[in-house]
Amino acid sequence: MDALVLALIALGAIGALLVLIIRFNVPAFVALLLVSVGTALATGMPFEDVVPTIVEGLGGTLGNVALLVGLGAMLGAIVEHSGGADALSERFSALLGPARVGVALLIASSMIAVPIFFDVAFIVLVPIVYAFSRAARLPSPMRIGLPIAGLMLFIHVVLPPHPGIVGSSVLTGADMGLVTLLGAALILPVGVVAHYTAKLLNRRAYAMLASTAELYEQNTGEPGTGGTDGARPSEDANGTDSSGGAGTPDGTGGTGGIGGAGASGTAKVSVRPRVEPQRPPSAAAVITVIAVPILMIGLQTVAGLFLEEGSTALRFLTMVGAPPFALLTGCLLALYLLGVRRGWSMRSVGSVMDAALAPAAVVVFVTGAGGAFAGVLTASGIGEVLSESMLGLGLPLLLLAFCLAALLRAAQGSATVSALTTSGLLAEAIASGGYSGLEIALVNLAIGCGAICLSHVNDSGFWIVSRYLGLSVRDALRTWSVLVTVLGTSGFALVGLTWALV
């Protein structure tokens, strides 16, 4: 088929995907499958090959994604329900002192965001943010809460086991360990940017919404005592996460929000008492269950540079440092250190872990459907045509990945869908470009940085942050939308610098 026709079919497929999700609120999983079928038929793929191609693309993606997202959801659920956020917040606040409460909570939130997906992690921290803001006699939670929300979302889009970066890494054949190490290295400098950008944005005062002001005054939990945590909206079928430690930070069609807030943002904010156990675990225990999997993955990646290929030590570390094995180890540590050791029965801990899998399943299937779409693009020849035409524009691959992800994010709101679509479109260019493992990992981080930008009213994360911080739509666009775009651009600048140096 002519290259121009294939390119037009690809553009039509992307347009159809956006229309289905934005205009008709079709669940992302269904929309991706429908567009995959339509694309396959439009390119003249034999009828008998359409379904096998989709199944192959979906199945090839689900292997790693299901393990990582499922295990990450269970690990996050234990950290959440055990009161891990309280423990870290109290510890870092005690270490840094009352004058640096905002910085202390920013550090604590960055650790909580590693295993817990954005919506859940932010809502868990809301009562702590409220309590410390009142203790500091701040008129609103904006000064403390804004940088926390921005950094947590950045971590969500660049660090496994979060679904967007996991899915794009699978589709492009990236080394997950290398992506994890490079993504973790971005957190500190981007955290500094988040702190100072939010400080600049907070130089002016923003009127707090009446419903949030009422909640802010009524929430009487003291810092570090457990307080309360937010009622968690469940994940919608378009990839909006907020339940049981699993999901994505993004909504589609403006359907995500607090308590079912849509684009109008009229729903009320609410909080609920945290369930057992009431006594938070030690900060050391929480840090251990979060850090050990990352260290295991890092050890395996670094060992490959020094140990002889095929040696017993390297083969053992390859198994131990594989992300699924490392996350399984983290889950077992959390089960014991945060659960059984503190008096939970195995049945109680098991119930928390099992409950986390239900919302995680939605994320897994959406990611798998993205793999099916990418499989059709490759099998039909569209991937090759697109890679040639995109590279023919003269844009470097890294910049193209960032811009495409940012545009798709702005168009339909879902960071996960934009990351999956971008990686699917660029997979052929990456595979045929002779790029090194480090360069492929950097491309995936560039996609993640693009996917955080331009959050606005079609993103459920926009509504969650704006309502819990008491912002009107206009003020949220002036603050939250600006902040995440600055963070995404800053992260991309660091990724581009690394690319230039290597």
Side-chain angles (χ1 to χ4, degrees), residues 224-253:
T225 62
T228 59
D229 60 37
R232 296 166 295 168
S234 61
E235 175 165 338
D236 70 25
N238 286 327
T240 307
D241 65 66
S242 319
S243 179
T248 65
D250 44 271
T252 51

Side-chain angles (χ1 to χ4, degrees), residues 94-470:
L95 287 174
L96 296 178
R100 297 182 179 86
V101 164
V103 175
L105 291 186
L106 189 63
I107 296 172
S109 69
S110 68
M111 303 198 70
I112 290 298
V114 173
I116 306 179
F117 298 158
F118 170 69
D119 288 10
V120 176
F122 181 68
I123 294 170
V124 165
L125 281 173
V126 161
I128 301 172
V129 170
Y130 282 9
F132 278 103
S133 296
R134 282 196 315 278
R137 292 183 171 82
L138 298 176
S140 83
M142 265 288 289
R143 187 177 301 177
I144 293 178
L146 186 63
I148 285 175
L151 183 58
M152 293 175 91
L153 180 55
F154 181 82
I155 292 171
H156 188 107
V157 298
V158 300
L159 200 65
H162 300 297
I165 190 68
V166 169
S168 68
S169 298
V170 171
L171 293 176
T172 58
D175 182 331
M176 203 80 69
L178 199 53
V179 171
T180 301
L181 290 181
L182 293 171
L186 291 175
I187 294 174
L188 178 59
V190 172
V192 174
V193 173
H195 174 72
Y196 284 104
T197 302
K199 190 174 183 179
L200 181 63
L201 292 170
N202 275 312
R203 289 178 64 180
R204 62 170 293 176
Y206 301 95
M208 200 185 330
L209 297 176
S211 59
T212 308
E214 181 181 356
L215 178 67
Y216 184 55
E217 295 301 324
Q218 290 178 352
N219 184 12
T220 57
E222 292 299 321
T225 62
T228 59
D229 60 37
R232 296 166 295 168
S234 61
E235 175 165 338
D236 70 25
N238 286 327
T240 307
D241 65 66
S242 319
S243 179
T248 65
D250 44 271
T252 51
T255 57
I258 299 172
S264 63
T266 57
K268 293 183 178 180
V269 180
S270 60
V271 295
R272 59 164 172 77
R274 196 184 66 233
V275 296
E276 293 291 341
Q278 293 298 321
R279 178 175 55 86
S282 68
V286 179
I287 293 173
T288 298
V289 301
I290 295 172
V292 165
I294 296 176
L295 292 175
M296 291 172 66
I297 294 170
L299 181 62
Q300 178 260 333
T301 303
V302 174
L305 303 175
F306 299 100
L307 296 179
E308 183 180 351
E309 188 171 351
S311 65
T312 302
L314 181 58
R315 288 188 287 115
F316 174 74
L317 289 176
T318 299
M319 179 194 75
V320 170
F325 191 96
L327 278 174
L328 176 61
T329 303
C331 283
L332 294 176
L333 282 173
L335 185 152
Y336 174 70
L337 293 177
L338 306 184
V340 174
R341 186 183 179 188
R342 299 174 53 245
W344 265 8
S345 67
M346 281 296 296
R347 176 176 294 181
S348 298
V349 182
S351 297
V352 170
M353 297 173 74
D354 287 342
L357 291 178
V362 179
V363 181
V364 169
F365 279 109
V366 169
T367 309
F373 182 43
V376 168
L377 292 174
T378 301
S380 64
I382 288 180
E384 184 177 355
V385 170
L386 282 178
S387 65
E388 292 175 356
S389 60
M390 287 177 175
L391 294 177
L393 296 174
L395 291 176
L397 178 65
L398 202 69
L399 179 60
L400 188 62
F402 173 77
C403 293
L404 189 56
L407 289 174
L408 289 170
R409 158 75 152 163
Q412 50 76 48
S414 170
T416 297
V417 173
S418 65
L420 293 172
T421 305
T422 302
S423 57
L425 293 172
L426 298 180
E428 183 65 30
I430 294 171
S432 61
Y435 297 101
S436 67
L438 177 59
E439 289 172 331
I440 295 174
L442 290 172
V443 170
N444 280 275
L445 291 176
I447 291 173
C449 290
I452 192 182
C453 295
L454 305 175
S455 168
H456 59 94
V457 295
N458 63 358
D459 171 23
S460 74
F462 175 91
W463 294 109
I464 286 176
V465 172
S466 64
R467 289 313 178 239
Y468 274 117
L469 296 185

